[in-house]
Amino acid sequence: VLRRGGVEVVLAGLNGNDPVVCSRNVVLVPDQSLDDALSGVPYDAVVLPGGGPGAKALAEDSRVKVLLADQEAAGKIIGAVCAAPTALLAHNIGKGKKLTSYPAFKDQLSSDYTYTEARVEVDGTMITSRGPGTSFDFAVELVKKLADEETAKKISDAMLL
């Protein structure tokens, strides 16, 4: 969706640029390692993908902490979907802001954030979403912020969203 919206996307791998097997056995091939991607900071947006094991790995990675802190300090977009908002919590990002996540993480996040059950929650430069079924809405919201409303509408219509 982001690429359809004309957004340049860099998919960075925590453990180099080897293929990553996600929580539902989907295989993603990073464009580059996170270490290499860090040379391009700050980005217009840093978006954390969902999935329990991946979110846990993001939450435990000190490079992700620095990346997110730098993004936040620069006033750039930070996105997180599904379980990934738990990584925001682990790295003290956006505390006090409105956010949403996969329902199973509500209790974990509610004391540090204003938790909502919106499909997509936008609070300033932080954009969060609930899970696989809200991913298109999440991506379209990112296109609105990174490109414009008209582009988001065009791709939404073309994708029958």
Side-chain angles (χ1 to χ4, degrees), residues 72-90:
E72 186 174 48
K76 302 289 188 175
I77 294 168
I78 295 173
V81 63
C82 193
T86 60
L88 301 180
L89 174 63

Side-chain angles (χ1 to χ4, degrees), residues 53-77:
K56 185 176 186 295
L58 292 167
E60 293 173 348
D61 195 298
S62 61
R63 298 167 302 167
V64 173
K65 180 181 182 103
V66 171
L67 174 62
L68 292 172
D70 289 349
Q71 281 292 118
E72 186 174 48
K76 302 289 188 175
I77 294 168

Side-chain angles (χ1 to χ4, degrees), residues 24 48-51 80-85 100-105 115 117-121 128-139:
R24 300 293 182 260
L48 305 181
V81 63
C82 193
T100 193
S101 71
Y102 193 76
F105 301 102
Y115 193 90
E117 294 183 2
R119 291 177 63 79
V120 176
E121 188 60 68
T128 54
S129 190
R130 296 184 57 89
T134 64
S135 293
F136 280 111
D137 296 340
F138 177 61

